[in-house]
Amino acid sequence: MEMDVTLFTLTVVNAGPDDKVCVGDSVQLGASGAVSYVWNASPSLSSTTIPNPYAFPTSQTTYTVTGTDGNGCTDQDQVTISTLSLPGVDAGTTDSHCDGDSTQLFATGALTWQWDPHPDLSDLNVSNPWASNTVDTWFVVNGTDVNGCTGVDSVEITIDPLPNVSAGANFSICEGDSTQLTATGADTYQWDSHPTFLSPTNVSNPWVKPIVPTTYDVEGTNSTTGCQNSASVTVSLNPLPTIDAGIDTAMCIGDSLQLMATGGVTYIWDNGGSLSSNIVADPWTYTTADLTYNVDAYDANGCFGEDSVHVTVHPLPSAPAILQVGEWLISSYTTGNQWYFDGSLIPGETNDSLNWVDQGLNGVYTLEYTDGNGCSEFNTGATVVIIDNIGIEENSAFEVNLYPNPTDAILNIETAEYIDLLMVTSMSGQVLLTRQDLNAGVQQLDLTNLPDGTYVIQMIHEEKVVTRQVVKQ
C-alpha cells in the first residue's frame, strides 16, 4: 500500500531581540514567522495570544512564544527582557523660607530633570530652581538617568510668617528735647544708622535727639525663623514758645505791681513768697527790695520757654512839711506837690504854695509830694493845717467844747447847737468815723478802736462848719 506524504518546510518563529526596560515601565514584544502565536502564561504580559503583547517585568524575564503556520507546523523562540533600576531621585529635605523670600531646591540622583509645572519655580528643567511660594507647597520632580529611566520625588517648602514689627505711631517732641523710640513685634532689632542716636541702635528702645523732623527705620528679626520685617516712625519737632515776662519795671516800696507773662499756657514763677500767686501769668508782686523774677512756661504742646523781669523798688520820699505864713501854706518841696482839702484833691493846685484865703473853705489842708520815681508821701500829722475861721462871722459861729483833749477813749462834745454831721478823719483826710443828728448838749464819741494819734473832728450845722483837732493817746 502506497501513501503519498507531503513534507512542509518548518516555519521559523522569531520572538524578537532581547531588550531592556526600566522597572515599572513596559515594552512591546514582537513575534513573527507564523500565523498564530501563544506566549507562555505570565502575569506580566498584556496578552498571550497575540504576536505583540506588552510585557511588564519586575525583574529579568525570558518570554517563550510558540508560533503555528498555515500548515499547522509550529516553532518556538524566546526573548529575554532585562529590567533597569530606577534612578534614586531625591528632591531634597523639607525646608522653609520667610514670606516674600525664596528657597533654592536641590534635586540629586539623575541626569536630566523635569519639575511639575508651578508658577513659583524659576526653572522647570534644572536640578536647583528657586521656589518663591507664598503658601506651604509640595514640589514634584522627575529625574532621568543615562538609561532613560525616570525616578520621582517631592519636597515640601513651608512659609514662615514675618514678624509683626511696629515702631509706634508718629509723634512730635519739643525742639532741643530727646526722646525714646520703641519697637515691638520681634526678638532682635537694628535701627538704621543716624547721627541723632544717643544710644546703641541694636535695641528696641534707643534714645534720639533729632534737630529736624526725622524718620527712623528699624528692622526686627524673629530669632527662631530668622524672618525679618521693618517699620518706621517719624518724629516731628514743635517749636519752643517765645516767653515774654515783660520789660523791666519799677514801683515804690509798699506798693504792688502786676507782672504779665505771655507766650505760654501754664506758668511757674520763682520768688513766690513775694507774689500773689506763682502759677498764673499775671501775679501781683509785693516785694520790698529789688528783685528779678524768673518765669518758666509751657505751651499747649508741653514745650518749655523761660524769661525774666527785674523789679526795682524805689524808697518813698521824705514827707513834705507845710509852713503857714499868713494866708499862705508853703511846701518844703518846690516841685512835685499836690494840695488836698479834707482828703480830696484840689484840682490844679500843684504849686509849692497855696493861699488858703483864696480857697475860702474851712477844713483840713494836706499836701502830697511825688518824686521823680513816681513815689508819693503825704505830710505828717504834725504839719496838717486846720483852718476854721474863713468867712465865719463871730456872731454866726457855734461854740463847741471838746474834753478831755487829749483823751484815751471817750471824747465829750458839748455844744448848744444841733449837729447835722460829725466826721472823724485822719491827718491825711481819710474818713474814719461819722455820726449824724447829734442833739445839743453833751454827746460822747467813743475813740477806743482808733490807734493813738492826732485826728481831725469836723462838725456841720446847717451851713456852718467847725473843725477841731483832738489827740488820742
Side-chain angles (χ1 to χ4, degrees):
M1 180 174 164
E2 294 183 355
M3 294 180 63
D4 291 329
V5 176
T6 302
L7 298 177
F8 300 104
T9 302
L10 185 62
T11 184
V12 178
V13 174
N14 185 0
D18 294 340
D19 203 353
K20 298 176 181 179
V21 67
C22 300
V23 172
D25 282 353
S26 63
V27 62
Q28 189 172 24
L29 305 181
S32 61
V35 175
S36 62
Y37 303 89
V38 176
W39 296 85
N40 62 314
S42 172
S44 61
L45 288 177
S46 61
S47 175
T48 58
T49 59
I50 60 175
N52 54 351
Y54 282 91
F56 305 90
T58 58
S59 60
Q60 180 174 307
T61 302
T62 298
Y63 296 96
T64 301
V65 62
T66 299
T68 303
D69 62 10
N71 297 314
C73 297
T74 63
D75 190 22
Q76 287 186 335
D77 195 17
Q78 292 181 329
V79 61
T80 298
I81 304 299
S82 301
T83 55
L84 299 173
S85 299
L86 300 182
V89 173
D90 184 1
T93 59
T94 297
D95 202 353
S96 65
H97 62 242
C98 303
D99 191 8
D101 287 349
S102 59
T103 295
Q104 190 170 23
L105 308 181
F106 289 97
T108 58
L111 183 62
T112 61
W113 307 92
Q114 180 64 53
W115 294 85
D116 283 0
H118 200 288
D120 294 330
L121 289 178
S122 61
D123 194 329
L124 301 179
N125 302 117
V126 295
S127 63
N128 55 350
W130 287 89
S132 56
N133 51 304
T134 57
V135 295
D136 296 350
T137 303
W138 283 93
F139 296 97
V140 179
V141 64
N142 295 275
T144 302
D145 61 12
V146 293
N147 296 315
C149 295
T150 300
V152 180
D153 196 20
S154 62
V155 62
E156 185 183 25
I157 304 299
T158 60
I159 303 302
D160 295 322
L162 301 183
N164 187 23
V165 177
S166 171
N170 296 336
F171 64 98
S172 60
I173 61 173
C174 303
E175 288 181 352
D177 283 357
S178 58
T179 187
Q180 191 171 26
L181 307 179
T182 301
T184 58
D187 298 317
T188 61
Y189 302 90
Q190 181 61 58
W191 295 83
D192 284 356
S193 178
H194 198 281
T196 59
F197 277 98
L198 301 179
S199 59
T201 58
N202 60 345
V203 295
S204 64
N205 53 352
W207 284 88
V208 295
K209 188 177 182 179
I211 58 176
V212 295
T214 303
T215 298
Y216 296 94
D217 300 310
V218 63
E219 187 172 76
T221 302
N222 182 306
S223 58
T224 300
T225 64
C227 293
Q228 297 177 326
N229 206 351
S230 60
S232 63
V233 61
T234 297
V235 180
S236 302
L237 298 182
N238 294 319
L240 300 183
T242 300
I243 305 303
D244 184 4
I247 60 175
D248 293 343
T249 186
M251 68 179 189
C252 303
I253 191 168
D255 285 351
S256 60
L257 179 71
Q258 191 171 26
L259 306 179
M260 179 61 71
T262 59
V265 175
T266 60
Y267 302 88
I268 301 176
W269 296 84
D270 65 358
N271 295 312
S274 61
L275 295 174
S276 60
S277 172
N278 70 333
I279 56 172
V280 296
D282 54 351
W284 288 85
T285 172
Y286 305 99
T287 181
T288 57
D290 293 358
L291 192 59
T292 297
Y293 290 96
N294 300 297
V295 61
D296 296 339
Y298 297 86
D299 65 11
N301 295 316
C303 294
F304 172 80
E306 59 183 341
D307 196 22
S308 62
V309 60
H310 184 75
V311 177
T312 300
V313 178
H314 297 303
L316 297 181
S318 299
I322 301 175
L323 177 64
Q324 185 174 358
V325 179
E327 62 189 42
W328 289 94
L329 304 178
I330 301 174
S331 170
S332 57
Y333 290 101
T334 58
T335 60
N337 299 288
Q338 175 61 61
W339 295 91
Y340 287 77
F341 173 73
D342 283 348
S344 297
L345 180 146
I346 304 175
E349 295 296 342
T350 58
N351 293 325
D352 59 353
S353 61
L354 177 72
N355 189 308
W356 54 267
V357 174
D358 290 345
Q359 295 299 313
L361 295 171
N362 288 315
V364 178
Y365 289 88
T366 54
L367 176 63
E368 180 186 30
Y369 167 69
T370 302
D371 64 13
N373 294 318
C375 297
S376 300
E377 186 70 287
F378 276 91
N379 60 301
T380 61
T383 59
V384 172
V385 178
I386 303 173
I387 306 298
D388 60 2
N389 58 355
I390 297 176
I392 300 177
E393 299 178 0
E394 185 175 344
N395 60 3
S396 65
F398 64 93
E399 292 295 330
V400 176
N401 185 23
L402 303 180
Y403 63 92
N405 188 10
T407 180
D408 60 358
I410 302 300
L411 180 67
N412 294 305
I413 304 171
E414 183 179 1
T415 177
E417 302 288 347
Y418 179 88
I419 299 176
D420 298 313
L421 176 65
L422 180 148
M423 292 188 296
V424 179
T425 64
S426 67
M427 299 305 292
S428 63
Q430 181 182 4
V431 176
L432 303 176
L433 291 174
T434 62
R435 294 278 298 274
Q436 291 180 315
D437 302 328
L438 277 71
N439 293 324
V442 178
Q443 303 292 330
Q444 290 187 332
L445 185 63
D446 188 357
L447 303 181
T448 302
N449 293 328
L450 296 181
D452 293 350
T454 301
Y455 298 93
V456 175
I457 297 181
Q458 191 173 67
M459 293 156 285
I460 301 173
H461 171 66
E462 295 178 351
E463 295 183 358
K464 301 175 184 179
V465 179
V466 174
T467 303
R468 295 288 186 267
Q469 189 170 325
V470 65
V471 176
K472 163 77 184 309
Q473 62 183 20

